[in-house]
Structure formats: structure tokens, C-alpha cells
Amino acid sequence: MRNTRILTLGIIVLVFMVAFIVSVWNPFTPRIMSPKDQPTACWQPDSPIAQFDPKTAVYSDFLPINDGIDALSWRLALIESAQERIDVQYFMWHMDEVGLLILERLLSAADRGVKVRILLDDLMGGLDREWLLASAHENVEVRLFNPFRTRDDNWLARGPEWLINISRLNRRMHNKLFLVDQKIGIMGGRNISNEYFGLGSHLDFRDFDLLVSGPVSYQLDESFETFWHSTWTYAPKKITEQRKNQNDLDVFRETTRQWLSKAEKIAYLQDLGYNWEDKLTEARKRFIHASAKVIYDCPPGTKSDKPVQRVIVSFRDLLHVTDKKILLVSPYVVLPDSIREHLFDAMERNVTVQLLTNSLAAADQNITFSAYAKSRNTLLSNGINIYEMKANGEHWDNYRTPLSSGEYLSVHAKIVLLDDDKVMVGSPNLDPRSKLLNSEIALLIRSKELSQRISQLFKRDLQAENSWQVRLDDAGKMYWEAGDEKYYKEPARSTLQRLQVFFFSLFPIDDQL
């Protein structure tokens, strides 16, 4: 027994020593900033969010982007249209077909003189080689938000550092933004990976973006600059040395082009034959003109007289001025107490609340679902109408391409519709992480036309062929109903999945989800 304890202790010490040694070499180090490059104050609206004061409104143009292929084609179209600058900011970027295609197009834009800035959160990690190579281009700069010192993406290496420095590493940048020439961009729920664009291997996401054009883009640009110059943002060291070795970048690009030329998924996209100029011209005919504000959470350490976490607080404030109905769409629902109570207060004013989220069968995060499942009965008892997306609903093919090998569909959109004229679209989930730990960004828009159009898009998701409505019977027992179907056993992909949810529910970790 004593030898076993010594062996266990030795393994633990060895793991921590390896993590420490690995962390000594770190290609991402703090930038040496000039006086002109000091962190800026975090801009926030002066007027209360809920007012939407017409005197201070910024009018711009908006277009819903509902399916994955359209979302990808718009990003490629904006790259092709760029004249001066492209700024992209994402929580996650995978080097699959979509990730490599977008990176290759960004490098091509840089070839013609467009300045490209890429800002990424470092939670997933593992792409140092690609980003160091991209940074070798004289017109490309890559920075990471709150990076690990351990550069290996293996969590056996990163785990000890996470435990030792959790108070810092737990703060993540969840923003998603694609901005071109400070005048037109895309924001919403999508990360850069196959599954967000209908090309998944394990699953496909039902997600949502907005194309944004006009003066509100300057507010989006301000949010990007705030994070780009944050003291929590780091750049690869020895950039000048990397740029001297252009051959490595050239080899990487040629290899990437050859791989993409043989990738079936990319061939399918190219066969669609998009004309980027025609696409932009057609969009201008369909834009919805409306007043809007950009709300974003300030990165840690930013000088600001306003509260740092503004996005979820703004949503809470909007509940005060809601009189008729609320539609919530979120993949993860672990409502903070203050949000839950404000929702219940709204329902006491006879406001109808509908919630669309994932069923267990459609959930991509079992641990987060376990926290939602514990609160679901309370939400139903207080009158919230809950719809849970089916894993294989009839409308799945609307969100995947013929080349997808995903096994199920999962909601990833983040939408709030209030009454008939208020819209909130962005990166936040309805969970404690979005309120307390992650930075988020959202567009708040006042428009009956846009609200109606988005409502129609999601109305199909609520129908019986695509979602279960969760109800309580007279005895208070929960059941799932869709048309003539009715089940008292929760829909799931497997018994193992149910066991995992039960196991996670035993731990008091809801505030970390």
C-alpha cells in the first residue's frame, strides 16, 4: 500500500515537472508596446441599453445568414472584396477544410496588400506552427488572447498549468467577429470549423450570423481594437526572424493549396460557382435598415468606468422593457439567478417566453446539459415554454451539405427576440460563463422587419418534426411531445450519454459552465 502511494505521488510530481519544463519555451510572449500602442479605454454606450434612444441610434444595414454554406460563402466574398484591412476575432479555429480554406484566402488577400489581423483565444491551442507561418507574411499579424505557457495542445500537458493558474486561464475570449475595411462584417455564433458550415464529421451545428454594413461597423472595429491592444493579448516573438524565412511559408501555402484541391468538401463548395460581386450587389437589395448598438465585455485589465461584463447584463436590462413575448435560442441554458428571476418577473406581466435549446440527443456538451437538466423542472413550473431540438429532425438537411458525415444536428445559434421589434444576436450563451468568465459581444437592433424575418427562420425549428416540446403532466412528471409522439423517457443518443449526464449532475460546478 505504501509503495502504491509513493508511486502515485511520484507520477503526480512528474506530470507537474514536465508541464513546468514544457512551459519554459513559449513562442507567444508579451509585445513591447510603444506609447502610441497602449491599451485603450473600453468603449461603452453612455445611455442605458434598454432605451434604444432614437436620438443616439446608429442606423445600419443587416442581413440574416441562416445556413452554413451561405455563411462560408459570405466570409469568402468579404475576403475577395477587401481593399485595405481584414480583422478576424474568434474563440476557436480548426485547421480542417474550412479553416485552411479561409486562411489560404486571407493570405491571398495579404498578397495584394490587404492588412490582415487575426486574434484568437488560446483555450484550444495546438496551431502554433500555422499561426507562426502566417505571421511570416509581411501583411499578416496574429495575436493570442490569454495564452497558456504550455504550447502543447495535449491536455495532459496543459492540465497542470490550468490547475495551477485557473484564476487567469479561466478567463476566455468568446467573441466572434469578421470585419472588412471597417465597413462591412459578420458576427454571430459561428467559430471557424467544418461543423459550423454544414461539413461536419461528428455533428453539424444549426447556427446563425448577421451580415452587418454601415456606421455600426465602427463600433465593431472599436471592440476589435480594444481586444487587439489589451495587455492580455500576446504576439509571436521573433517575428522579424520568422519573416526572413519566407520559404517555410511558401512551402506551407503550396502544400495547403494541393491538399485543398484534392479535398472533396472544398471541391463541392467550388462547384457551387459563387460570383462574389453579384452576391454583394444582391445583398444590398435585401438589407434591412435599422438602429443598432454594439455591446461587448471589456477584456480584463482594460481601463473603464463601466462594468466589465456588459452583454448578459444588457440582456437582463432589456427584460424590463418587454411587454409581450420573448424567444430565446441558446445551445447551453444554465441561467444565472438574476436572469432567471427577471424572466419570471416578465411572465408575471403576462409575457410569453419560448426557449429553444438542445435535447439530450442533440447536445454536444453533456456536462453543460447536466446543469440545464437540473433546472428544467423549475423553468417549466414557472411557465417557460421549452422546445428541445431533435438530433435528426426533418430540417437537418437545411444545415448540412451532402458531404457532411455528421451523426446529429445541434443548436449553436445565440438569439434573443423581444416583443416584435428588439433583436439581440452575438456570441453569448445563457450560462454563467458568458456572464462571469468569458468576454462576449452582441448586436442590439431595433427593427420589426428584422425581428419578423428571424422569427420566421426559427419558427420552423419549433415545429413538431424538428423539436420536442417539454411539458409537465398533472402529476408534475416531465414528458417530451412532438405531434402524436409522447415519451416519458428523455430522448438521448445512448445509455452512456444518460449516465454521463447523471454523473456530472453530482458535482457543484454550475457556475463554471
Side-chain angles (χ1 to χ4, degrees):
M1 180 66 72
R2 183 172 180 273
N3 290 338
T4 301
R5 290 177 179 174
I6 293 175
L7 178 61
T8 301
L9 180 60
I11 292 174
I12 294 173
V13 172
L14 179 61
V15 168
F16 275 83
M17 288 179 62
V18 170
F20 175 77
I21 293 172
V22 170
S23 70
V24 170
W25 181 81
N26 180 11
F28 289 87
T29 57
R31 295 168 292 110
I32 300 176
M33 294 184 292
S34 68
K36 295 182 180 180
D37 195 30
Q38 294 299 323
T40 59
C42 186
W43 173 90
Q44 292 295 323
D46 295 328
S47 59
I49 300 304
Q51 289 182 2
F52 274 95
D53 187 351
K55 296 179 181 178
T56 59
V58 176
Y59 281 84
S60 294
D61 297 312
F62 305 93
L63 185 69
I65 304 176
N66 195 46
D67 68 80
I69 292 301
D70 202 28
L72 178 57
S73 68
W74 267 117
R75 284 163 172 82
L76 299 179
L78 293 188
I79 293 173
E80 292 297 320
S81 70
Q83 299 296 315
E84 298 177 358
R85 197 171 90 190
I86 301 174
D87 295 326
V88 294
Q89 181 180 10
Y90 282 99
F91 173 68
M92 183 175 71
W93 189 310
H94 288 165
M95 286 302 169
D96 50 20
E97 285 89 343
V98 166
L100 283 170
L101 176 62
I102 293 178
L103 177 58
E104 192 275 331
R105 294 292 177 86
L106 288 172
L107 289 168
S108 295
D111 289 341
R112 63 176 193 268
V114 176
K115 300 295 183 181
V116 177
R117 296 189 295 178
I118 301 172
L119 175 57
L120 301 168
D121 186 82
D122 190 48
L123 181 62
M124 303 303 175
L127 298 175
D128 285 2
R129 175 179 174 270
E130 288 82 356
W131 298 129
L132 285 167
L133 287 170
S135 296
H137 197 296
E138 62 180 358
N139 289 325
V140 177
E141 186 173 1
V142 179
R143 295 182 183 178
L144 295 184
F145 181 83
N146 195 14
F148 284 71
R149 288 194 60 82
T150 306
R151 299 315 308 157
D152 195 323
D153 65 340
N154 188 326
W155 274 91
L156 287 177
R158 285 195 166 202
E161 184 183 354
W162 176 274
L163 293 175
I164 292 171
N165 203 8
I166 190 171
S167 61
R168 175 179 69 84
L169 294 175
N170 210 16
R171 303 294 297 272
R172 308 314 317 172
M173 184 191 73
H174 198 238
N175 307 41
K176 288 101 173 169
L177 177 62
F178 200 105
L179 189 61
V180 170
D181 293 334
Q182 295 179 281
K183 63 182 182 181
I184 187 168
I186 300 171
M187 66 167 298
R190 288 182 174 88
N191 293 297
I192 304 299
S193 183
N194 280 356
E195 58 266 28
Y196 296 93
F197 300 91
L199 292 163
S201 299
H202 175 57
L203 81 160
D204 289 294
F205 283 120
R206 190 275 185 262
D207 219 320
F208 185 84
D209 288 318
L210 279 177
L211 182 68
V212 181
S213 178
V216 79
S217 296
Y218 293 113
Q219 295 180 10
L220 294 174
D221 178 68
E222 180 70 30
S223 76
F224 181 89
E225 294 291 344
T226 298
F227 279 84
W228 185 256
H229 295 289
S230 167
T231 55
W232 284 47
T233 298
Y234 292 65
K237 67 180 180 180
K238 299 183 180 179
I239 288 293
T240 53
E241 293 180 16
Q242 290 288 334
R243 286 179 177 157
K244 289 178 183 178
N245 194 355
Q246 183 71 30
N247 290 335
D248 288 346
L249 175 60
D250 293 339
V251 171
F252 168 71
R253 294 182 69 180
E254 181 59 30
T255 302
T256 298
R257 290 192 189 103
Q258 292 180 6
W259 184 82
L260 288 172
S261 69
K262 299 175 183 178
E264 290 184 356
K265 294 180 179 180
I266 299 303
Y268 167 80
L269 297 176
Q270 293 174 338
D271 289 343
L272 296 178
Y274 289 112
N275 183 300
W276 309 128
E277 292 184 1
D278 289 348
K279 192 172 182 65
L280 289 167
T281 300
E282 181 62 28
R284 294 187 182 99
K285 301 176 184 178
R286 297 186 290 123
F287 270 132
I288 297 172
H289 196 62
S291 63
K293 292 182 179 180
V294 175
I295 307 300
Y296 62 93
D297 297 328
C298 304
T302 308
K303 297 178 181 179
S304 176
D305 295 331
K306 303 283 185 178
V308 174
Q309 303 299 113
R310 292 286 291 156
V311 177
I312 292 295
V313 172
S314 299
F315 165 57
R316 184 199 65 192
D317 291 346
L318 285 168
L319 296 177
H320 290 298
V321 295
T322 303
D323 301 316
K324 301 175 183 177
K325 59 184 179 181
I326 300 171
L327 172 63
L328 308 173
V329 182
S330 178
Y332 317 117
V333 181
V334 188
L335 293 176
D337 291 343
S338 60
I339 300 296
R340 185 170 58 245
E341 294 305 317
H342 281 79
L343 276 175
F344 294 165
D345 289 343
M347 286 186 289
E348 289 182 1
R349 304 193 307 269
N350 296 320
V351 175
T352 300
V353 179
Q354 292 179 311
L355 167 65
L356 173 64
T357 189
N358 286 310
S359 65
L360 177 55
D364 70 313
Q365 298 287 342
N366 292 335
I367 187 170
T368 308
F369 189 91
S370 68
Y372 156 67
K374 288 188 289 186
S375 66
R376 187 168 44 192
N377 196 297
T378 300
L379 300 180
L380 291 168
S381 299
N382 281 272
I384 294 182
N385 300 291
I386 297 179
Y387 296 84
E388 294 183 350
M389 182 77 78
K390 291 182 177 180
N392 305 104
E394 291 185 9
H395 75 333
W396 186 10
D397 287 340
N398 291 297
Y399 302 111
R400 66 170 180 170
T401 68
L403 290 178
S404 167
S405 55
E407 300 171 5
Y408 62 96
L409 180 70
S410 184
V411 174
H412 195 262
K414 300 95 162 54
I415 306 288
V416 178
L417 301 181
L418 303 109
D419 291 336
D420 297 315
D421 63 345
K422 291 182 281 294
V423 177
M424 181 174 178
V425 175
S427 66
N429 299 306
L430 296 177
D431 59 20
R433 286 204 68 87
S434 289
K435 180 184 178 183
L436 302 172
L437 298 172
N438 293 343
S439 70
E440 307 286 357
I441 186 170
L443 269 168
L444 301 179
I445 307 164
R446 190 155 200 166
S447 168
K448 289 185 178 181
E449 184 180 357
L450 183 61
S451 179
Q452 183 178 19
R453 189 176 300 186
I454 296 175
S455 180
Q456 287 298 317
L457 291 172
F458 281 88
K459 184 177 181 181
R460 179 176 58 187
D461 298 83
L462 303 180
Q463 294 173 352
E465 59 265 29
N466 299 313
S467 288
W468 303 98
Q469 183 166 8
V470 189
R471 299 180 182 272
L472 296 176
D473 64 17
D474 293 339
K477 193 172 182 180
M478 195 178 304
Y479 65 93
W480 287 257
E481 184 177 57
D484 296 332
E485 298 176 284
K486 184 176 180 179
Y487 298 102
Y488 277 87
K489 186 176 182 179
E490 182 158 26
R493 295 195 299 275
S494 66
T495 300
L496 176 60
Q497 189 187 26
R498 291 192 178 94
L499 291 174
Q500 288 175 337
V501 169
F502 171 75
F503 173 76
F504 290 134
S505 69
L506 301 177
F507 297 91
I509 54 176
D510 293 6
D511 60 344
Q512 296 294 312
L513 302 176

